[in-house]
Amino acid sequence: MARPDKAAAVAELTDKFRNSSAAVLTEYRGLTVAQLKTLRRSLGENAQYAVVKNTLTKIAANEAGITTLDDQFNGPTAVAFITGDPVESAKGLRDFAKDNPNLVIKGGVLDGKALSADEIKKLADLESREVLLSKLAGAFKGKQSQAASLFQALPSKLVRTVDALRAKRDEQGGAE
């Protein structure tokens, strides 16, 4: 790799692999430029979709410490580099692939772990990070209100018991 332009391309791709939380490899054969533009928009703000050269991308992935994708660099390849929520971008890819069967999801990597095409589709079926966090917050809030009710019930039960004992003592005191 003596050419400086190729070295610069590898360095740029290596940075993208290192700075991304996930990367998804796709085959885009048969898609028009307009369809690729639509795909880029559907991925969300936290993803970059780039058509890449297989050899240079394979070198860049290996330099970034990702060796599990080596067998997937064949045919026309494009990579979605995801820096934010991978679920949103995976949903964008899945939905676009449903409407455009020419887009084939080959596989990818998430936080250093290799993902198959089926695993990426399962990732797309998850709810977004914001929805999961709001459900978790709702569960915590529910548990807190249950605990507050329980703590509030104990003193009121004690007061009722003391009142009942006092009333019983008054009855017994009046009967003697």
Side-chain angles (χ1 to χ4, degrees), residues 53-97:
K53 292 192 177 284
N54 288 331
T55 307
L56 300 180
T57 308
K58 184 176 180 180
I59 293 168
N62 288 333
E63 285 183 10
I66 301 169
T67 58
T68 56
L69 301 176
D70 286 353
D71 59 335
Q72 296 178 4
F73 290 111
N74 49 34
T77 303
V79 182
F81 294 102
I82 304 164
T83 55
D85 184 14
V87 174
E88 178 186 354
S89 298
K91 283 182 184 187
L93 283 168
R94 178 199 59 196
D95 295 344
F96 188 86

Side-chain angles (χ1 to χ4, degrees), residues 78-148:
V79 182
F81 294 102
I82 304 164
T83 55
D85 184 14
V87 174
E88 178 186 354
S89 298
K91 283 182 184 187
L93 283 168
R94 178 199 59 196
D95 295 344
F96 188 86
K98 281 182 186 176
D99 297 337
N100 301 284
N102 287 336
L103 180 73
V104 178
I105 298 173
K106 295 180 178 182
V109 63
L110 174 65
D111 293 329
K113 181 188 176 292
L115 298 176
S116 68
D118 290 335
E119 290 172 323
I120 292 171
K121 290 175 185 169
K122 287 179 186 175
L123 180 68
D125 292 336
L126 291 176
E127 293 173 337
S128 71
R129 183 175 189 272
E130 290 78 21
V131 171
L132 292 175
L133 287 174
S134 65
K135 284 185 176 184
L136 182 64
F140 280 139
K141 184 178 180 184
K143 293 297 178 188
Q144 287 176 343
S145 64
Q146 285 177 348

Side-chain angles (χ1 to χ4, degrees), residues 23-81:
V24 179
L25 272 65
T26 62
E27 183 176 319
Y28 63 94
R29 186 186 326 245
L31 293 177
T32 65
V33 173
Q35 288 173 321
L36 286 174
K37 189 175 181 180
T38 304
L39 173 59
R40 285 185 175 100
R41 272 189 256 125
S42 71
L43 291 178
E45 298 174 3
N46 299 323
Q48 283 185 316
Y49 190 74
V51 174
V52 295
K53 292 192 177 284
N54 288 331
T55 307
L56 300 180
T57 308
K58 184 176 180 180
I59 293 168
N62 288 333
E63 285 183 10
I66 301 169
T67 58
T68 56
L69 301 176
D70 286 353
D71 59 335
Q72 296 178 4
F73 290 111
N74 49 34
T77 303
V79 182
F81 294 102

